[in-house]
Amino acid sequence: MNSVGTECLELKRGYDLCFNRWFAEKFLKGERSADPCSELFKQYQECVKKAIKEKEIPIEGLEFMGSKREKPHGNAGSS
Amino acid sequence: HPWETVIKAAMRKYPNPMNPNVVGVDVLERNLDTEGRLHSQRLLSTEWGLPSIVMAILGTSRSTTYIKEHSVVDPVERTMELSSSNITLSNLVSVDERLIYRPHPENPETTILTQEAIITVKGVILSSYLEGLMANTISANAGKGCKEMEWMLDKINVENEELAVSVQESIKSEMATAAAKDLWFAYYCATL
């Protein structure tokens, strides 16, 4: 599975790996742990946004992560 | 299959019968809401493989269609809801899809998927061609969605079980806009 920007593929893979692990092992099990993937996501997202702009894909209201992102409720869960 | 198993597979798979050729998936935004539900905004890149004459008629020079998908996963209620619509070619056709995964009410160890698509085709000249194309694609892929899920579940080492698929089609005509027609497909995959 590729990314909209082929140059983003490595970043995407790194993020996906991190996310899928957190999703399966923490989130679905009801553990309210903090998302460990935010740094990876930031880099990946920057790349994607650039690709979207270059390809002139009409996406409205694309906000940068961080400004609108809400912190997960509860404390960091146990590992 | 249990809901958690299905959701893990679904997150890594793109059940969208209108887009058999998903070539790219990107996460645009992801966050938890105040109720602990995970929201994701994703961009799907698809290739239709449209013949060049169709592309010329459609007036598009790019063969990639982009879809915006919003998903919400509620780990407490055990629901996953996805809704998607195309953001390119939208002046000609709108494909809005909605999928919900939840534990089967009578058998909570299994998961039921409800899926519906509303297709609005604009423009009288193209409508019958596009309708035919889409109707064929949806019919061909209606059961495929469940089969793809089965493949994905096998991939993560789950027992192979039979899927029951029932497909229901109905067509509504839009009286208000004479040039538009709504095609509504609802299909249910119950995983056993």
Side-chain angles (χ1 to χ4, degrees), chain B residues 6-148:
Chain B
V6 174
I7 296 312
K8 277 187 273 192
M11 218 31 156
R12 295 155 64 179
K13 187 240 155 201
Y14 319 101
N16 193 333
M18 278 315 298
N19 298 282
N21 299 303
V22 178
V23 297
V25 182
D26 286 289
V27 182
L28 299 176
E29 181 64 66
R30 187 165 261 156
N31 57 314
L32 288 169
D33 65 17
T34 50
E35 284 151 58
R37 299 177 302 188
L38 184 71
H39 292 253
S40 307
Q41 299 278 356
R42 298 201 299 188
L43 178 71
L44 312 186
S45 311
T46 71
E47 293 288 339
W48 273 84
L50 290 171
S52 47
I53 184 138
V54 177
M55 280 171 58
I57 294 168
L58 294 176
T60 180
S61 55
R62 59 173 158 206
S63 58
T64 313
T65 307
Y66 294 101
I67 292 143
K68 199 171 170 194
E69 176 207 83
H70 175 219
S71 62
V72 189
V73 184
D74 189 333
V76 176
E77 292 297 313
R78 296 167 87 209
T79 58
M80 176 172 181
E81 204 172 305
L82 297 105
S83 53
S84 66
S85 52
N86 58 310
I87 54 176
T88 51
L89 297 182
S90 46
N91 55 322
L92 286 161
V93 58
S94 295
V95 180
D96 297 289
E97 270 223 321
R98 200 156 160 253
L99 292 82
I100 305 176
Y101 294 91
R102 60 167 85 87
H104 198 290
E106 279 147 39
N107 189 355
E109 284 309 301
T110 64
T111 305
I112 187 161
L113 163 65
T114 316
Q115 197 168 2
E116 59 180 6
I118 299 173
I119 300 153
T120 309
V121 180
K122 301 152 194 176
V124 176
I125 295 168
L126 283 172
S127 58
S128 45
Y129 174 83
L130 286 174
E131 265 175 48
L133 178 69
M134 282 168 196
N136 289 338
T137 309
I138 291 181
S139 304
N141 284 293
K144 196 180 162 199
C146 291
K147 289 195 167 50
E148 284 179 340

Side-chain angles (χ1 to χ4, degrees), chain A residues 7-67:
Chain A
E7 66 275 14
C8 308
L9 193 57
E10 279 309 307
L11 291 169
K12 171 186 144 65
R13 284 195 180 142
Y15 168 70
D16 280 348
L17 218 72
C18 178
F19 171 76
N20 286 331
R21 202 182 305 135
W22 172 81
F23 186 68
E25 293 169 18
K26 303 274 183 199
F27 180 73
L28 285 184
K29 296 191 175 167
E31 285 187 41
R32 306 290 192 95
S33 64
D35 180 5
C37 313
S38 43
E39 256 317 301
L40 285 167
F41 184 59
K42 221 181 282 180
Q43 291 169 26
Y44 163 51
Q45 204 194 32
E46 283 304 312
C47 184
V48 168
K49 285 191 160 105
K50 202 158 146 254
I52 286 169
K53 218 170 161 196
E54 279 166 15
K55 297 197 172 180
E56 296 179 347
I57 300 170
I59 301 180
E60 293 159 9
L62 196 61
E63 277 113 9
F64 280 89
M65 193 199 87
S67 52

